[in-house]
């Protein structure tokens, strides 16, 4: 109900993003801990069955949330939910295949680069990024990588896992941009609606996967003998649902790039925390330096853009409005401008100001100008 409560709607966008960011950080941490518990249960080898239970829980929780809200209408097409469910299913299964190899270093390196791939696939939502923004994202990614490696004792990269995780981040970049464009820009879907309809299709994929693996009967018998497997799987599904729902909320309110920046900062926070439980290494120094460079360069760029945009541009005079009444109306159009465009805007403003002075010297008032 965060979007409906007055305390949330009264917040500024920055505070809303901070609240959502801490929510995703907490939910992802709890989900990761519960997943670790599940994989370390005695004689447990049925992750595909856990995914099937998770997708069923996703559908049930989303249905309850939609029932309480009274929002049952489906806004997007089924084929769009089908494409998104295929993306998510591929990401999950490939990521699990790579994680089961136990190569944590490769996972840290590749998953930290998701931000760059999300930006590269931004053409799906007709969004472009400047060179400066790519540089900031690169330093942020490097910070996440080196801080993540600081707690690792064995630094080796597996070729098979490298290929798997590389495919995962490419699909992830396309999936989140596709979701933003189809569900939140072209239409105004809610997060539970997306999870519910895509989850129905994803549960079919999960059932087919666990059936073809031959683990369906064995995993069911194991869960009957060890009911804690059901309990932890259900708790994991709840935490994962909260994380997924908040991530979609960030995509809807801001963008998929902002959502990925938040998750990159989560990786950085995990790396910083791991520094207190492991010896301080060279990777820690490089990671902290890259993080400081990100903040410094981002702040400098923001300050530079604010200085360039300090002069407003005039509004177009609407029909029926006298030039004299419109001459004091201004607005800023610098949000999507690069430095060259901002310089051009200010040069045009200076030219207009010089024309005004010439008009006054020649006896022509500003009311004669359009």
């Amino acid at each position: 109900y965060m979007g409906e409560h007055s305390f949330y709607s009264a917040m500024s966008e920055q505070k809303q993003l901070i609240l959502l960011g801490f929510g995703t950080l907490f939910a992802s941490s709890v989900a990761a801990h519960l997943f670790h518990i599940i994989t370390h249960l005695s004689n447990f080898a049925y992750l595909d069955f856990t995914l099937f239970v998770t997708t069923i829980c996703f559908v049930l929780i989303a249905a309850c949330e939609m029932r309480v809200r009274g929002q049952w209408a489906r806004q997007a097409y089924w084929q769009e939910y089908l494409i998104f469910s295929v993306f998510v299913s591929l990401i999950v299964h490939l990521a699990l295949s790579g994680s089961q190899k136990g190569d944590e270093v490769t996972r840290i390196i590749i998953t930290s680069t998701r931000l760059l791939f999300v930006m590269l696939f931004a053409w799906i939502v007709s969004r472009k990024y400047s060179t400066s923004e790519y540089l900031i994202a690169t330093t942020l990614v490097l910070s996440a990588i080196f801080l993540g490696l600081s707690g690792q004792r064995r630094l080796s990269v597996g070729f098979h896992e490298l290929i798997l995780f590389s495919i995962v981040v490419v699909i992830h970049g396309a999936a989140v941009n596709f979701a933003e464009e189809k569900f939140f820009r072209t239409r105004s879907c809610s997060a539970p609606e997306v999870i519910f309809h895509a989850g129905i299709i994803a549960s079919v994929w999960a059932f087919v996967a666990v059936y073809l693996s031959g683990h369906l009967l064995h995993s069911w018998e194991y869960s009957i003998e060890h009911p804690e497997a059901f309990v932890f799987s259900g708790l994991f599904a709840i935490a994962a649902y909260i994380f997924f729902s908040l991530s979609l909320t960030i995509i809807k309110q801001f963008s998929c790039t902002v959502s990925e920046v938040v998750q990159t900062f989560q990786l950085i926070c995990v790396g910083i925390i791991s520094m207190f439980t492991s010896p301080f290494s060279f990777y820690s120094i490089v990671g902290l330096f890259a993080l400081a460079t990100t903040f410094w360069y981002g702040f400098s760029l923001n300050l530079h853009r604010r200085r360039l945009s300090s002069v407003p541009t005039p509004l177009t005079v609407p029909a029926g409005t006298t030039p004299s009444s419109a001459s004091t109306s201004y607005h800023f159009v610098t949000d999507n401008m690069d430095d060259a465009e901002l310089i051009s805007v200010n040069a045009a403003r200076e030219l207009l100001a010089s024309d005004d002075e010439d008009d006054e010297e020649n006896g022509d008032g500003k009311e004669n100008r359009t």
Side-chain angles (χ1 to χ4, degrees), residues 254-333:
F254 301 94
S255 70
C256 58
T257 305
V258 174
S259 176
E260 203 58 47
V261 168
V262 170
Q263 296 183 39
T264 304
F265 271 110
Q266 293 173 2
L267 296 175
I268 292 174
C269 290
V270 173
I272 292 176
I273 293 174
S274 66
M275 291 170 53
F276 296 96
T277 59
S278 60
F280 200 76
S281 64
F282 171 75
Y283 295 102
S284 303
I285 299 175
V286 176
L288 292 175
F289 177 77
L291 182 62
T293 303
T294 302
F295 282 115
W296 171 80
Y297 186 59
F299 176 79
S300 301
L301 181 63
N302 184 51
L303 182 62
H304 178 60
R305 291 173 65 86
R306 285 180 179 273
R307 288 174 177 174
L308 288 176
S309 61
S310 59
V311 181
T313 58
L315 278 170
T316 302
V317 180
T321 304
T322 60
S324 59
S325 63
S327 61
T328 56
S329 300
Y330 303 101
H331 71 145
F332 290 93
V333 289

Side-chain angles (χ1 to χ4, degrees), residues 22-225:
F22 275 107
T24 55
L25 174 61
F26 177 76
S28 62
S29 301
V30 173
H33 182 66
L34 290 171
F35 187 77
H36 179 78
I37 294 177
I38 293 173
T39 54
H40 286 77
L41 292 174
S42 59
N43 299 322
F44 182 81
Y46 310 109
L47 286 179
D48 45 4
F49 181 74
T50 302
L51 292 179
F52 174 65
V53 173
T54 301
T55 54
I56 295 297
C57 291
F58 269 35
V59 173
L60 294 177
I61 298 173
C64 293
E65 192 172 356
M66 294 172 66
R67 175 67 179 83
V68 172
R69 291 186 176 190
Q71 300 175 351
W72 285 105
R74 175 177 56 85
Q75 301 186 47
Y77 297 110
W78 275 112
Q79 53 264 35
E80 295 171 344
Y81 290 119
L82 173 64
I83 295 173
F84 185 63
S85 67
V86 170
F87 278 148
V88 175
S89 299
L90 287 175
I91 291 172
V92 172
H93 283 88
L94 290 176
L96 285 178
S97 299
S99 299
Q100 289 176 344
K101 303 297 182 178
D103 192 350
E104 187 69 11
V105 175
T106 307
R107 186 192 66 81
I108 291 174
I109 294 176
I110 301 301
T111 55
S112 298
T113 62
R114 290 181 307 184
L115 173 60
L116 296 176
F117 285 92
V118 170
M119 296 175 67
L120 288 174
F121 279 94
W123 55 268
I124 297 177
V125 292
S126 301
R127 184 184 298 124
K128 294 190 302 181
Y129 294 100
S130 64
T131 305
S132 300
E133 290 168 328
Y134 275 110
L135 288 176
I136 293 176
T138 302
T139 55
L140 188 65
V141 166
L142 289 176
S143 175
I145 291 175
F146 284 105
L147 288 175
L149 294 178
S150 61
Q152 300 298 317
R153 297 179 179 179
R154 184 183 62 85
L155 299 179
S156 62
V157 178
F159 180 76
H160 182 259
E161 295 79 9
L162 181 65
I163 298 299
L164 281 178
F165 284 119
S166 298
I167 297 175
V168 167
V169 295
V170 171
I171 299 176
H172 175 80
V176 293
N177 280 283
F178 176 85
E180 180 182 350
E181 173 65 20
K182 297 299 182 181
F183 302 140
F184 304 127
R185 296 296 172 261
T186 305
R187 302 169 187 84
S188 183
C189 303
S190 64
E193 176 190 345
V194 175
I195 297 175
F196 176 76
H197 293 95
I200 292 177
I201 304 176
S203 62
V204 176
W205 305 136
F207 177 79
V208 171
V210 69
Y211 178 79
L212 294 178
S213 66
H215 293 162
L216 182 60
L217 181 61
H218 298 293
S219 57
W220 178 259
E221 293 176 349
Y222 178 87
S223 300
I224 297 300
E225 297 176 359

